[in-house]
Amino acid sequence: MDKVPMTAEGYAALEAEIKHLKTVERPRIIKAIAEAREHGDLSENAEYHAAKEQQGMTEARVADLEDKLSRADVIDISKLSGNQVMFGATVTLIDEDTEQKVKYRIVGEIEANVKEGKISIGSPIARALLNKHKGDVVEVSTPGGGKSYEIVKVEFK
Protein backbone atom coordinates (compact mmCIF):
# COMPACT_ATOMS: atom_id res chain seq x y z
CA MET A 1 0.00 0.00 0.00
CA ASP A 2 1.59 3.22 -1.17
CA LYS A 3 1.17 6.34 0.89
CA VAL A 4 -0.71 9.17 -0.82
CA PRO A 5 0.96 12.55 -0.14
CA MET A 6 -1.42 15.42 0.48
CA THR A 7 -1.69 18.69 2.30
CA ALA A 8 -3.84 19.15 5.40
CA GLU A 9 -6.15 21.26 3.21
CA GLY A 10 -6.52 18.39 0.73
CA TYR A 11 -7.20 15.90 3.54
CA ALA A 12 -9.95 18.15 4.92
CA ALA A 13 -11.50 18.50 1.46
CA LEU A 14 -11.67 14.71 1.06
CA GLU A 15 -13.24 14.34 4.50
CA ALA A 16 -15.83 16.97 3.58
CA GLU A 17 -16.66 15.22 0.31
CA ILE A 18 -17.12 11.87 2.09
CA LYS A 19 -19.36 13.53 4.68
CA HIS A 20 -21.45 15.13 1.90
CA LEU A 21 -21.79 11.84 0.03
CA LYS A 22 -22.84 9.97 3.18
CA THR A 23 -25.17 12.56 4.72
CA VAL A 24 -26.71 14.21 1.64
CA GLU A 25 -26.32 12.02 -1.43
CA ARG A 26 -27.00 8.60 0.15
CA PRO A 27 -30.34 9.64 1.71
CA ARG A 28 -31.39 11.39 -1.51
CA ILE A 29 -30.64 8.27 -3.57
CA ILE A 30 -32.37 5.97 -1.07
CA LYS A 31 -35.46 8.18 -1.28
CA ALA A 32 -35.33 8.11 -5.11
CA ILE A 33 -35.09 4.29 -5.08
CA ALA A 34 -38.05 4.03 -2.70
CA GLU A 35 -40.15 6.36 -4.87
CA ALA A 36 -39.24 4.43 -8.03
CA ARG A 37 -40.19 1.13 -6.36
CA GLU A 38 -43.66 2.51 -5.71
CA HIS A 39 -44.20 2.80 -9.47
CA GLY A 40 -44.43 -0.96 -9.78
CA ASP A 41 -42.64 -3.30 -12.21
CA LEU A 42 -38.89 -2.81 -11.62
CA SER A 43 -37.77 -4.57 -14.81
CA GLU A 44 -38.96 -1.68 -16.99
CA ASN A 45 -38.58 1.12 -14.46
CA ALA A 46 -35.92 3.53 -15.81
CA GLU A 47 -36.06 5.74 -12.71
CA TYR A 48 -35.30 2.76 -10.47
CA HIS A 49 -32.36 1.59 -12.62
CA ALA A 50 -30.94 5.13 -12.84
CA ALA A 51 -31.14 5.57 -9.05
CA LYS A 52 -29.51 2.16 -8.48
CA GLU A 53 -26.71 3.06 -10.90
CA GLN A 54 -26.19 6.38 -9.12
CA GLN A 55 -26.13 4.54 -5.80
CA GLY A 56 -23.39 2.24 -7.10
CA MET A 57 -21.30 5.15 -8.36
CA THR A 58 -21.70 7.02 -5.07
CA GLU A 59 -20.70 3.99 -3.00
CA ALA A 60 -17.68 3.40 -5.25
CA ARG A 61 -16.62 7.04 -4.81
CA VAL A 62 -16.97 6.80 -1.02
CA ALA A 63 -14.88 3.61 -0.97
CA ASP A 64 -12.20 5.21 -3.18
CA LEU A 65 -12.00 8.35 -1.03
CA GLU A 66 -11.89 6.35 2.21
CA ASP A 67 -9.06 4.25 0.76
CA LYS A 68 -7.09 7.39 -0.12
CA LEU A 69 -7.67 8.86 3.35
CA SER A 70 -6.49 5.63 4.99
CA ARG A 71 -3.24 5.83 2.99
CA ALA A 72 -2.82 9.60 3.37
CA ASP A 73 0.58 10.99 4.25
CA VAL A 74 -0.42 14.47 5.40
CA ILE A 75 2.44 16.93 5.06
CA ASP A 76 2.27 20.07 7.18
CA ILE A 77 3.46 22.79 4.82
CA SER A 78 3.62 25.38 7.61
CA LYS A 79 6.67 23.54 9.01
CA LEU A 80 8.53 23.62 5.69
CA SER A 81 10.89 26.38 4.62
CA GLY A 82 13.90 27.06 2.47
CA ASN A 83 14.53 27.82 -1.15
CA GLN A 84 14.49 24.28 -2.53
CA VAL A 85 11.42 23.14 -4.47
CA MET A 86 9.64 20.24 -2.77
CA PHE A 87 6.12 19.00 -2.03
CA GLY A 88 3.96 21.87 -0.80
CA ALA A 89 6.10 24.64 -2.27
CA THR A 90 4.51 27.51 -4.14
CA VAL A 91 6.82 28.25 -7.05
CA THR A 92 6.79 31.37 -9.21
CA LEU A 93 8.21 30.80 -12.68
CA ILE A 94 8.93 32.90 -15.73
CA ASP A 95 8.45 31.30 -19.13
CA GLU A 96 11.71 32.08 -20.90
CA ASP A 97 10.01 32.29 -24.32
CA THR A 98 7.08 34.55 -23.47
CA GLU A 99 8.35 36.24 -20.27
CA GLN A 100 4.97 35.32 -18.74
CA LYS A 101 4.86 34.69 -14.98
CA VAL A 102 3.09 31.62 -13.64
CA LYS A 103 2.63 30.42 -10.09
CA TYR A 104 2.11 26.79 -9.07
CA ARG A 105 1.72 24.99 -5.78
CA ILE A 106 2.97 21.40 -5.77
CA VAL A 107 0.35 19.17 -4.15
CA GLY A 108 -0.79 15.55 -4.12
CA GLU A 109 -2.43 13.96 -7.14
CA ILE A 110 -5.89 14.08 -5.56
CA GLU A 111 -5.69 17.83 -4.89
CA ALA A 112 -4.31 18.90 -8.27
CA ASN A 113 -6.33 21.57 -10.08
CA VAL A 114 -4.48 23.66 -12.64
CA LYS A 115 -7.22 26.32 -12.66
CA GLU A 116 -6.44 26.92 -8.97
CA GLY A 117 -2.68 26.85 -9.62
CA LYS A 118 -2.22 23.45 -7.97
CA ILE A 119 -0.17 20.87 -9.86
CA SER A 120 0.35 17.22 -9.01
CA ILE A 121 3.73 16.17 -7.68
CA GLY A 122 3.70 13.55 -10.44
CA SER A 123 3.17 16.05 -13.27
CA PRO A 124 6.02 16.66 -15.74
CA ILE A 125 6.52 20.27 -14.61
CA ALA A 126 6.56 19.36 -10.90
CA ARG A 127 9.04 16.52 -11.52
CA ALA A 128 11.29 18.95 -13.38
CA LEU A 129 11.07 21.50 -10.54
CA LEU A 130 11.70 19.16 -7.59
CA ASN A 131 14.97 19.78 -5.73
CA LYS A 132 15.74 22.90 -7.80
CA HIS A 133 16.36 26.35 -6.29
CA LYS A 134 15.54 29.99 -6.95
CA GLY A 135 17.46 31.14 -10.05
CA ASP A 136 17.61 27.69 -11.64
CA VAL A 137 16.32 27.18 -15.17
CA VAL A 138 14.35 24.00 -15.82
CA GLU A 139 13.45 22.30 -19.07
CA VAL A 140 10.00 20.72 -19.20
CA SER A 141 8.87 18.32 -21.91
CA THR A 142 5.30 19.12 -22.90
CA PRO A 143 3.07 17.67 -25.62
CA GLY A 144 3.66 20.88 -27.59
CA GLY A 145 7.46 20.63 -27.25
CA GLY A 146 10.03 21.68 -24.68
CA LYS A 147 9.56 24.74 -22.46
CA SER A 148 12.11 26.57 -20.33
CA TYR A 149 11.22 28.20 -17.02
CA GLU A 150 13.30 30.22 -14.60
CA ILE A 151 12.45 29.78 -10.93
CA VAL A 152 12.07 33.27 -9.46
CA LYS A 153 10.49 32.47 -6.10
CA VAL A 154 10.04 29.45 -3.81
CA GLU A 155 7.75 29.86 -0.81
CA PHE A 156 5.80 27.74 1.64
CA LYS A 157 2.43 29.10 2.69
Side-chain angles (χ1 to χ4, degrees):
M1 284 179 88
D2 294 333
K3 288 286 188 187
V4 178
M6 67 180 66
T7 63
E9 177 185 316
Y11 189 88
L14 290 184
E15 283 183 320
E17 184 176 351
I18 289 172
K19 182 179 179 183
H20 174 77
L21 290 171
K22 286 182 172 181
T23 60
V24 176
E25 291 301 313
R26 265 187 190 161
R28 184 186 61 75
I29 293 168
I30 289 168
K31 184 178 178 191
I33 290 171
E35 287 174 4
R37 276 194 179 130
E38 291 174 5
H39 295 292
D41 185 12
L42 297 181
S43 64
E44 295 180 16
N45 188 328
E47 292 168 348
Y48 174 79
H49 293 290
K52 288 298 279 184
E53 184 177 331
Q54 192 173 26
Q55 181 182 39
M57 291 188 318
T58 300
E59 294 306 319
R61 178 72 177 154
V62 167
D64 181 50
L65 293 175
E66 286 177 337
D67 172 61
K68 286 182 171 85
L69 282 182
S70 72
R71 296 183 295 126
D73 181 14
V74 180
I75 298 168
D76 186 358
I77 294 168
S78 67
K79 294 183 179 166
L80 300 175
S81 62
N83 63 355
Q84 183 176 359
V85 179
M86 62 180 84
F87 183 90
T90 299
V91 185
T92 304
L93 308 168
I94 292 183
D95 185 322
E96 296 216 314
D97 296 330
T98 65
E99 296 295 319
Q100 185 178 6
K101 261 190 186 182
V102 290
K103 192 181 224 181
Y104 295 119
R105 182 172 178 199
I106 300 174
V107 296
E109 219 172 280
I110 300 163
E111 306 168 73
N113 184 336
V114 176
K115 290 178 182 174
E116 295 176 6
K118 297 176 182 179
I119 58 172
S120 166
I121 192 162
S123 69
I125 192 164
R127 288 196 314 262
L129 291 169
L130 288 175
N131 301 317
K132 300 292 191 285
H133 298 84
K134 178 181 174 183
D136 288 350
V137 174
V138 296
E139 294 286 330
V140 180
S141 296
T142 67
K147 304 251 329 155
S148 293
Y149 294 99
E150 180 184 351
I151 301 170
V152 294
K153 192 174 191 180
V154 178
E155 55 191 334
F156 296 90
K157 56 181 177 175

